[in-house]
Amino acid sequence: MVHSFIAHTSPGRCRVFALVKDPDDRLEVVTTLGAGDLHLSDELISALNDFLSDRDNAALQTVLDRAPSPVRMAVQQFLKDKCAPEAGTFTAYGPIDIVRHAVYFSRIDEELEDYLEGAYMIGLGIRMSNERGTDGDVGWVIQLLSDEVSVPASAEPRTWALPTEVKLLNTWTSKQPLAGLGPVRSALKAAAGASAEGHWVRIHTLLHSDRDEGFEGSGTSEFVVDVFDAPMPLQELDE
């Protein structure tokens, strides 16, 4: 994933790089501005980073229209090849970082609930999925993100893109609480029931705004439980 764009300026030119995390950091060359176009460097970097969060191609194009054709073509090709939108990766304040790549729990119990409660209380984003080991045992893998992603009031409550290879059976959100249970325990109960039936289940959190304009950073934090018409995937760490 392209995390941000940066520039290295030397006498006579400016090289534009993309900082890519997948998960190791690396730099990829995007384009180079010559001596006659160095005045565009700050604007171009700013427009590219804004594009990552808002996907406003028109705003970026106003800068590219003033750049030489080779620069314009190089940037457009790079964005086409390397910057496809990925749900849940940016807010208006910048990219979402992964705080913990993978934490494994062998079952849904009080320890797992306490772990999620702690992450939820301090505003970390949560992604969780069930997996089956080669021995048949079911486990749960959790990824923690640096923030929750906001969605507009009228948008679908989802910031984790659905897989294309399987059918979605149903979705539960914490706007439909289970009687007498809080959002964390309700989400775990919904997930546990579907998992017990052999389904692949994913849980994630988001910030669902109460408005469509200027929606970033306001609203209600929600849990989303997606149940798929597919068996849970094989645990990657099995040897």
Side-chain angles (χ1 to χ4, degrees), residues 172-183 186-187:
W172 173 93
T173 77
S174 50
K175 279 197 170 180
Q176 308 150 7
L178 303 180
L181 303 180
S186 291

Side-chain angles (χ1 to χ4, degrees), residues 62-90:
T62 60
V63 180
L64 292 178
D65 285 344
R66 293 154 52 205
S69 179
V71 170
R72 183 166 59 251
M73 293 175 62
V75 169
Q76 291 171 336
Q77 190 64 48
F78 184 89
L79 295 180
K80 178 182 177 182
D81 295 342
K82 303 292 181 68
C83 287
E86 185 177 340
T89 56
F90 279 86

Side-chain angles (χ1 to χ4, degrees), residues 67-119:
S69 179
V71 170
R72 183 166 59 251
M73 293 175 62
V75 169
Q76 291 171 336
Q77 190 64 48
F78 184 89
L79 295 180
K80 178 182 177 182
D81 295 342
K82 303 292 181 68
C83 287
E86 185 177 340
T89 56
F90 279 86
T91 72
Y93 310 106
I96 297 292
D97 293 316
I98 298 174
V99 177
R100 295 290 300 272
H101 279 277
V103 180
Y104 294 90
F105 287 84
S106 59
R107 64 182 66 85
I108 290 180
D109 57 12
E110 288 187 6
E111 182 182 6
L112 189 155
E113 183 179 344
D114 288 345
Y115 186 84
L116 292 189
E117 285 278 9

Side-chain angles (χ1 to χ4, degrees), residues 211-222:
R211 55 181 184 265
D212 285 325
E213 299 293 332
F215 61 86
E216 286 284 356
S218 66
T220 304
S221 182
E222 296 179 16

Side-chain angles (χ1 to χ4, degrees), residues 1 3 21 23 88-89 95-103 115 118-120 122-127 142-148 205:
M1 181 191 79
H3 190 267
K21 295 190 174 186
T89 56
I96 297 292
D97 293 316
I98 298 174
V99 177
R100 295 290 300 272
H101 279 277
V103 180
Y115 186 84
Y120 184 57
I122 62 175
L124 297 180
I126 296 169
R127 289 185 174 185
I142 300 172
Q143 185 180 82
L144 297 182
L145 309 177
S146 59
D147 202 353
E148 290 181 340
T205 57

